[in-house]
Structure formats: C-alpha cells, structure tokens
Amino acid sequence: ETGGLLLETTRGVLRCRGLLNCGGLQSDRIARMCGITPRVRIVPFRGEYYELIPQRKELLKGLIYPVPDPRFPFLGVHFTRTVHDIREAGPNAVLALKREGYRKSSFNSRDAAETLMYFGFWRLALRYWKTGLEEMYRSFSKAAFVRALQRLMPEIRSEDLVPGGSGVRAQALAPDGTLVDDFLIQEAPGMIHVLNAPSPAATASISIGRAIASRAGQVLGLG
Ligand SMILES: Cc1cc2nc3c(=O)[nH]c(=O)nc-3n(C[C@H](O)[C@H](O)[C@H](O)COP(=O)(O)OP(=O)(O)OC[C@H]3O[C@@H](n4cnc5c(N)ncnc54)[C@H](O)[C@@H]3O)c2cc1C
C-alpha cells in the first residue's frame, strides 16, 4: 500500500508504516510471506536438559562451561544455575523434525520436509554426519549424556540427574551448509527481517534491541 504496508494476519488486516520481523523459528517464513527471498533457511535444533536432583545441588556452585568448538555455533553441554536456583545440565543439539517441537516425538511433515529438501541441510549433513549421530545418540542415551557432562564434572553420576526441559534453536543454515553464527538481518523497503540472532548473549540482550531499534529508526522512519 502507498506509504505503508497492509498485513494480512490470522487476527485480521493491519495497516502499518513498517514491519520488523523478529519471528525466531518462523522468521524465514515470515520474510518469504513478505516477498523477500531469505538468504538462509531456519533449521530447528532441539536442546534438551537434565536437572540436578535437590540432594546433589551442592555439586554446582556457579556456572561451568566448556571451551567452545569454533566449528559449531552450539557450545556443547554445560552446567547453569537458573534464577529459580534450578541446576541445569545441557543442552545437547539434536536435529528437530518440528520447528516448535519440544519433545523427542515431535514431528511436523511440513517442517521436516522443508529441512530435508534443503540443499544446505545435506551439505551440512555430509560434513558433520558423525557429530549429528552422536548428538542423537546422546539424546536417547542418558549414559552418553552423563559421559559428556563428566568431562566438566567428573563426580557427577546418572542418578544425580532427572530429565529437565528443552528448547528449540532457530538455527539459520546457508545454502552452502554453513551454520550461520553471526547476526543476519535482511532489509527491504519498509521492512527489517531479523533472520538470525544467535547465542551467546542474545537472550534479552539490550544492546541487540538497541541496534535493531536504531535500524528501525533509519529504515522504517520510526526514530
Ligand atoms: C536450548 C537453548 C539454549 C540457549 N541458550 C542460550 C544462552 O545461554 N545464551 C544466549 O544468549 N542464547 C541462548 N539461546 C539462544 C536464544 O534463545 C536465541 O538466540 C534468542 O531467543 C533469539 O531471539 P529472537 O528474538 O530472534 O527469537 P525468539 O526468542 O525465538 O523470539 C521469536 C518470537 O516470535 C514469536 N513468533 C514466531 N512466529 C510468529 C508469528 N507468525 N506471529 C507472531 N509471533 C511469532 C515467537 O512466539 C517468539 O516469541 C538458547 C536457545 C536454546 C533453544
């Protein structure tokens, strides 16, 4: 529409001056619905956690993180204390067959097909199939998960842990199979699409918010 956009949503039609897409797991689809060709595809990777049982809480006093492998944007399993004083161990990084699929059994045919029909996915799979299989094995085998944790905390035992929650990473994957590990923002007249806002330090990051707000000021005239 002249001088603005007309958005057709499930809650009706919206008129607006500009559009800022921060849709995480759905961000590439939202971009496509806006007529943009995203330079990446979102491929979901589930991260599963265990939690330390209350009787073994004293094993963890702070955070324990590994040295990251620079080939991957995922850090590897680590130990975290949450604001509610839950002591988490994880997450792993397993290919998810559903974008918002928080269980091992989660499956969505459209999501799975979009991943499996993407060249970038097969290029990644060819390069890192062994790591991918190891992650899947660790997802189903608690003993394997515990072995990975013992590299950081040798005294931890399987019986110290109970299953915790999970999350799904919106991993941007380039057509050449590269796991994008930097911010990716695509712009078009009246629109900003945040297609990758990766960890670390992304969650609720004020400086990322400021950077995007400043672009919105310039591109969308919202300053
Ligand atoms: C297991 C796990 C562990 C992580 N650990 C860390 C960490 O330790 N440190 C760190 O910095 N980062 C971490 N991250 C990454 C961090 O969560 C992401 O980098 C960050 O959330 C990305 O922010 P975002 O705003 O782009 O997307 P999101 O936080 O995913 O927000 C997207 C929002 O868009 C909404 N949405 C989607 N589609 C639509 C639609 N069609 N209409 C309306 N709304 C829609 C969603 O509901 C959601 O609220 C972790 C992620 C996972 C999964």
Side-chain angles (χ1 to χ4, degrees):
E1 204 180 56
T2 327
L5 298 167
L6 207 56
L7 302 183
E8 285 175 31
T9 77
T10 47
R11 296 201 183 166
V13 175
L14 296 174
R15 282 198 159 74
C16 54
R17 275 164 60 196
L19 178 137
L20 182 48
N21 164 15
C22 296
L25 280 162
Q26 306 291 345
S27 58
D28 59 339
R29 284 182 180 157
I30 295 172
R32 227 174 288 128
M33 288 161 82
C34 297
I36 308 289
T37 305
R39 290 202 294 273
V40 293
R41 180 160 302 180
I42 298 298
V43 173
F45 281 88
R46 194 176 48 257
E48 298 156 332
Y49 289 89
Y50 281 91
E51 285 172 17
L52 271 175
I53 56 171
Q55 303 87 305
R56 297 290 278 162
K57 269 186 168 181
E58 82 288 352
L59 280 174
L60 186 69
K61 297 188 174 57
L63 310 177
I64 308 180
Y65 279 62
V67 176
D69 180 339
R71 290 174 304 159
F72 302 105
F74 314 132
L75 188 59
V77 290
H78 49 273
F79 291 91
T80 329
R81 273 179 78 166
T82 72
V83 286
H84 304 295
D85 206 27
I86 292 168
R87 325 257 162 138
E88 290 182 327
N92 54 7
V94 200
L95 178 70
L97 296 176
K98 183 175 177 185
R99 288 200 184 198
E100 281 151 64
Y102 298 93
R103 296 171 187 196
K104 291 190 209 317
S105 57
S106 298
F107 177 80
N108 176 285
S109 51
R110 178 185 172 199
D111 293 350
E114 275 192 15
T115 295
L116 298 175
M117 285 161 63
Y118 183 49
F119 266 122
F121 169 73
W122 290 106
R123 291 191 173 114
L124 173 78
L126 272 176
R127 223 173 292 154
Y128 296 121
W129 61 270
K130 196 162 166 259
T131 311
L133 288 180
E134 278 167 7
E135 285 292 339
M136 276 188 208
Y137 177 58
R138 235 199 319 266
S139 169
F140 285 98
S141 162
K142 187 177 181 186
F145 202 107
V146 172
R147 276 198 296 280
L149 293 172
Q150 282 171 335
R151 288 209 290 268
L152 300 175
M153 189 190 281
E155 53 276 70
I156 196 158
R157 299 282 169 266
S158 181
E159 53 273 25
D160 300 333
L161 296 160
V162 289
S166 70
V168 182
R169 299 178 188 81
Q171 178 58 51
L173 188 60
D176 67 357
T178 308
L179 293 160
V180 182
D181 63 358
D182 203 352
F183 292 91
L184 178 66
I185 298 177
Q186 259 179 261
E187 294 176 359
M191 299 183 216
I192 297 177
H193 297 272
V194 180
L195 299 178
N196 202 39
S199 171
T203 306
S205 161
I206 302 290
S207 64
I208 297 171
R210 280 207 187 104
I212 293 171
S214 139
R215 285 305 299 156
Q218 292 161 29
V219 177
L220 311 181
L222 302 177

